[in-house]
Amino acid sequence: MGGLTFEKILVIGIIAMFIFGPDRLPKIAESAAGLVKRARHWVDDTKERVSSELGEDFTKEDWRKLDPRQYDPRRIVRDAWNDAGTAAVGGATATAVAGATKSGEPATDSKPAWANSMTGSAGAEQLVPGQAPFDNEAT
C-alpha cells in the first residue's frame, strides 16, 4: 500500500482540473487550505485547554502514554488471560491451561485454570465447557 507520492498528487490535481475547471479550482484550493488551518487551530486550542485543565504535572510523556496506537489488543488479552490463570491457581497448572499434562497426555479437565477457582464460590453452578454460565437469579 503505497503512500501519497508526487506522481499521485499530480494525477489528482490534473483530474481535479478537468472536473472543476480552471476557474473554480483556485477557489476550492483556497477553501481547502482554510479548512486545514481551522482544523489545526482547533487541535492546538484543544491541546492547550486540556493541558491547562490538567495542570503542569501533565507532561508530553503522559500524552504519549495515552496514545491508542501503542496498545496491541492481542497482547492485552494474552496478559489478562495469563494473569487470571496464574492468580487463580497460583501458577501450578500452567501446562493444563495449554491443554496437556506434564507427561504429554491430554488434560482431562477442559476448563481453563481460572475457572477452577470460580466453581467453589457460594451459589455458583458447575461450569460446563462450551456453555456460558447461567445465573438462576437473573431476570
Side-chain angles (χ1 to χ4, degrees), residues 57-67 70-71:
D57 296 336
F58 200 75
T59 62
K60 287 187 178 184
E61 182 62 33
D62 295 328
W63 278 112
R64 286 188 202 108
K65 288 179 186 176
L66 296 176
D67 186 6
Q70 72 177 339
Y71 298 109

Side-chain angles (χ1 to χ4, degrees), residues 6-23:
F6 178 72
E7 292 84 16
K8 291 179 184 177
I9 293 173
L10 185 64
V11 169
I12 291 171
I14 292 170
I15 292 173
M17 188 181 299
F18 281 120
I19 292 175
F20 298 114
D23 297 334

Side-chain angles (χ1 to χ4, degrees), residues 77-89:
V77 170
R78 182 179 59 240
D79 292 345
W81 182 266
N82 290 337
D83 288 346
T86 57
V89 295

Side-chain angles (χ1 to χ4, degrees), residues 1-59:
M1 306 309 275
L4 197 58
T5 62
F6 178 72
E7 292 84 16
K8 291 179 184 177
I9 293 173
L10 185 64
V11 169
I12 291 171
I14 292 170
I15 292 173
M17 188 181 299
F18 281 120
I19 292 175
F20 298 114
D23 297 334
R24 292 190 313 180
L25 191 60
K27 294 175 187 172
I28 292 173
E30 184 179 336
S31 63
L35 178 65
V36 169
K37 286 179 185 177
R38 281 191 307 235
R40 189 175 294 160
H41 176 68
W42 292 333
V43 169
D44 291 341
D45 185 44
T46 303
K47 282 184 180 180
E48 183 179 319
R49 289 181 64 192
V50 168
S51 295
S52 67
E53 295 209 8
L54 291 176
E56 294 178 7
D57 296 336
F58 200 75
T59 62

Side-chain angles (χ1 to χ4, degrees), residues 96-111:
V97 172
T101 61
K102 288 183 181 179
S103 64
E105 299 172 3
T108 57
D109 188 13
S110 63
K111 291 187 288 188

